[in-house]
Amino acid sequence: MSDYNFAFLDEQTKRMIRRAILKAVAIPGYQVPFGSREMPLSYGWGTGGVQVTASVIGPGDVLKVIDQGADDTTNAVSIRQFFTRTTGVQTTTRTDEATLIQTRHRIPETPLAAGQIVVFQVPIPEPLRWLEPRETETRTMHALEEYGAMWVRLYEDITRHGHVETAYDYPVVVNARYLMRPSPIPKFDNPKLDRCPALLLFGAGREKRIYAVPPHTRVRSLDFEDHPFTVETWDRPCALCGARGVFLDEIIVDDKGGRLFVCSDTDYCGRRRQAGGDLA
Amino acid sequence: MSLAGERPLLRVRGLTCWYGPQVGCLDVGFDLWPGEVLGVVGESGSGKTTVLGCVSGRVVPTAGTVEFTTREGDLVDVLRLSEAERRRLARTDWGVVHQNPRDGLRMGVTAGANVGERLMAVGARHYGTIRTAALDWLAQVEIDADRIDDLPETFSGGMQQRLQIARNLVTRPRLVFMDEPTGGLDVSVQARLLDLLRTLVADLGLSAIIVTHDLAVTRLLAHRLLVMRRGQVVESGLTDQVLDDPQHPYTQLLVSSVLQP
């Protein structure tokens, strides 16, 4: 692949994206516009995340790519392959070995460490979008910290369902200032954002926005005083590795209603089983 | 009202607004005192809505000043406020009741959320408290408590208008702008709404500017009247005085064209 520059993007583009990232880090949760490029994958498949990864990756990095927690699904495999071919960096499935993790819609179960960078793929960066269609107006709302409308949405959820229905892409306030969409991660992962020691970068390719949560930044999920934020729980452990307190996927195993609940994080589950995790 | 007798709530001077070569309003000036209801009447295109828009900071006038006395007793120039301050004023001290309730309501969320929105916008974060306040205001505008979880779409026109009023009054504004609040409602519903408005204005000590082409509305609600024609105020004074003894030929025409059943 010597016909391509290291990590596909040309150096000027990387420079532009890095500047956007620096600004995003300086203003946690603020959406920085950037000149998103066409990438050799379609919109919705992680063009934003790929551009951010391509801009921060170096020859010494160890890359992990996950899609819904799994290292072996189409999106993860093709993006990992893309970077292997365009950079030649070492790849891994182990969360603790990776220096750079591109993720679609999950945060690994293994706690993140200082020095790691996590890149999220973001479909729609604007948390106020479904409440206010005008971009000029949402920008003003961010500038003036007018987030009341977001609570109207939570109020509606509680009124209609008795609890907040939003289960993924649950809105958060970053550093007690900017309202942010954490990309469609399950709300189960929201607490992992708070004071996370790793650098969290968010890239939206189609919407041309980059935002960031720097290490150790406070991230609070929205709630009401009398309806506090809660995460999903399961009444059973992972059927493969027996882990509790992790995010489980439901898998239909036959056409007679048989189902299995297993870890969505394949790396975490696999390593537990390798280490002889009890199958209780 | 401790401010009464000291300083008007709103002081408008030389308000002029051009839409290109078209005149919106010309040299309009008036004072609005705390607790007072001012009616603005005139035919379509006479500049009533322009005046309301300029005064509430939604339309930028070509010239003139609009001064408002805030809750803290400060005199601020509405037209020179930063957007942040103007929007804060708009959701605390002011209310806007639109002619079409669809312009003023969030049609996609329940009545309770509509009433609670302003509370949440100024920082209320307790679901139970917001709901109690919503129930209280629905009762004040005579909407049954069991409709709190219904969408405004399922409400009749009159109920939607009352909901819009509740939504505005929940933060206890001191000044309410109303643009044809009874337009599009049938006569008996109009009467009920007017009755409600009159009670609320008196009970809460609200000041209001009501733009309407319906003289009967102003007779019931407004203390004072501005009669507008082609962007200019042609006559102003106490409502009964203007309606019973119109001086300007246009006002005379307006008053005489009201049908008497």
Side-chain angles (χ1 to χ4, degrees), chain B residues 152-164:
Chain B
E153 272 169 0
T154 65
F155 287 14
S156 69
M159 279 170 82
Q160 286 182 358
Q161 200 57 288
R162 277 180 278 141
L163 181 63
Q164 200 192 168

Side-chain angles (χ1 to χ4, degrees), chain A residues 68-70 72 106 109 186 188 234-253 258-270 272-273 279-280:
Chain A
Q68 304 278 8
D72 52 4
R106 268 315 304 279
E109 304 290 357
F188 181 86
W234 287 263
D235 54 4
R236 65 192 87 186
C238 168
L240 296 177
C241 74
R244 291 180 184 273
V246 295
F247 192 83
L248 300 183
D249 280 341
E250 183 181 2
I251 297 173
I252 309 287
V253 290
R259 57 193 59 189
L260 214 56
F261 285 85
V262 299
C263 288
S264 108
D265 187 337
T266 53
D267 163 58
Y268 180 79
C269 193
R272 269 180 62 88
R273 275 181 288 160
L279 292 162

Side-chain angles (χ1 to χ4, degrees), chain B residues 5-240:
Chain B
E6 289 178 25
R7 198 187 263 173
L9 189 64
L10 195 68
R11 187 160 61 194
V12 180
R13 291 288 179 274
L15 200 65
T16 302
C17 182
W18 290 91
Y19 298 115
Q22 299 291 326
V23 63
C25 61
L26 263 182
D27 195 24
V28 174
F30 60 87
D31 287 341
L32 183 72
W33 295 84
E36 188 181 41
V37 178
L38 179 73
V40 183
V41 295
E43 61 196 2
S44 294
S46 61
K48 310 185 295 278
T49 304
T50 300
V51 168
L52 199 71
C54 289
V55 169
S56 59
R58 288 172 297 156
V59 177
V60 181
T62 317
T65 58
V66 178
E67 289 169 314
F68 177 73
T69 310
T70 63
R71 237 172 252 253
E72 292 78 31
D74 303 327
L75 198 67
V76 294
D77 186 344
V78 172
L79 304 174
R80 288 207 168 75
L81 282 179
S82 72
E83 186 164 14
E85 293 168 311
R86 195 166 52 71
R87 286 167 80 122
R88 190 187 59 80
L89 212 55
R91 51 171 196 267
T92 54
D93 266 5
W94 294 351
V96 179
V97 177
H98 295 266
Q99 172 173 10
N100 186 345
R102 281 169 184 272
D103 295 339
L105 291 173
R106 261 182 206 278
M107 298 305 284
V109 300
T110 59
N114 265 293
V115 180
E117 179 173 356
R118 271 181 162 232
L119 291 174
M120 292 182 247
V122 296
R125 297 288 180 261
H126 191 282
Y127 180 82
T129 316
I130 294 165
R131 213 169 155 78
T132 314
L135 280 169
D136 177 46
W137 274 99
L138 288 182
Q140 293 212 42
V141 297
E142 298 165 17
I143 295 176
D144 286 342
D146 58 5
R147 301 300 304 269
I148 186 170
D149 294 337
D150 292 343
L151 291 178
E153 272 169 0
T154 65
F155 287 14
S156 69
M159 279 170 82
Q160 286 182 358
Q161 200 57 288
R162 277 180 278 141
L163 181 63
Q164 200 192 168
I165 289 164
R167 173 186 156 90
N168 272 289
L169 297 187
V170 67
T171 50
R172 303 242 164 207
R174 292 157 62 233
L175 175 56
V176 181
F177 303 101
M178 300 191 206
D179 194 352
E180 305 274 7
T182 58
L185 301 176
D186 73 55
V187 187
S188 63
V189 177
Q190 263 190 33
R192 192 164 162 213
L193 187 74
L194 286 173
D195 197 37
L196 177 78
L197 277 176
R198 197 154 63 154
T199 317
L200 286 175
V201 164
D203 287 356
L204 303 172
L206 281 178
S207 301
I209 301 181
I210 299 181
V211 161
T212 180
H213 58 259
D214 188 341
L215 292 180
V217 169
T218 56
R219 173 80 90 175
L220 269 171
L221 285 177
H223 302 125
R224 276 193 312 128
L225 215 54
L226 296 182
V227 183
M228 291 192 65
R229 190 190 186 207
R230 290 180 189 159
Q232 282 171 302
V233 174
V234 293
E235 189 165 353
S236 66
L238 295 174
T239 305
D240 291 342

Side-chain angles (χ1 to χ4, degrees), chain A residues 8-9 35-41 43 47 51:
Chain A
F8 185 77
L9 290 176
S36 179
R37 300 293 190 248
E38 290 230 4
M39 296 302 282
L41 79 166
Y43 286 128
T47 51
Q51 289 179 74

Side-chain angles (χ1 to χ4, degrees), chain A residues 27-46:
Chain A
I27 318 171
Y30 173 75
Q31 301 165 46
V32 183
F34 78 109
S36 179
R37 300 293 190 248
E38 290 230 4
M39 296 302 282
L41 79 166
S42 48
Y43 286 128
W45 283 75

Side-chain angles (χ1 to χ4, degrees), chain A residues 131 137 140-141 144 146-149 151-152 154-156 158-160 223-227, chain B residues 83-84 87 91 106 108-110 112-113 117 120-121 125-128 130-131 148-149 151:
Chain A
L131 302 162
E137 181 66 12
T140 312
M141 289 162 85
L144 304 179
E146 277 183 12
Y147 296 140
W151 265 272
V152 173
L154 300 189
Y155 173 98
E156 274 301 282
I158 296 172
T159 303
R160 290 186 195 193
D223 59 2
F224 283 107
E225 287 157 19
D226 49 345
H227 286 265
Chain B
E83 186 164 14
R87 286 167 80 122
R91 51 171 196 267
R106 261 182 206 278
V109 300
T110 59
E117 179 173 356
M120 292 182 247
R125 297 288 180 261
H126 191 282
Y127 180 82
I130 294 165
R131 213 169 155 78
I148 186 170
D149 294 337
L151 291 178

Side-chain angles (χ1 to χ4, degrees), chain A residues 43-57:
Chain A
Y43 286 128
W45 283 75
T47 51
V50 164
Q51 289 179 74
V52 171
T53 302
S55 306
V56 297
I57 198 167

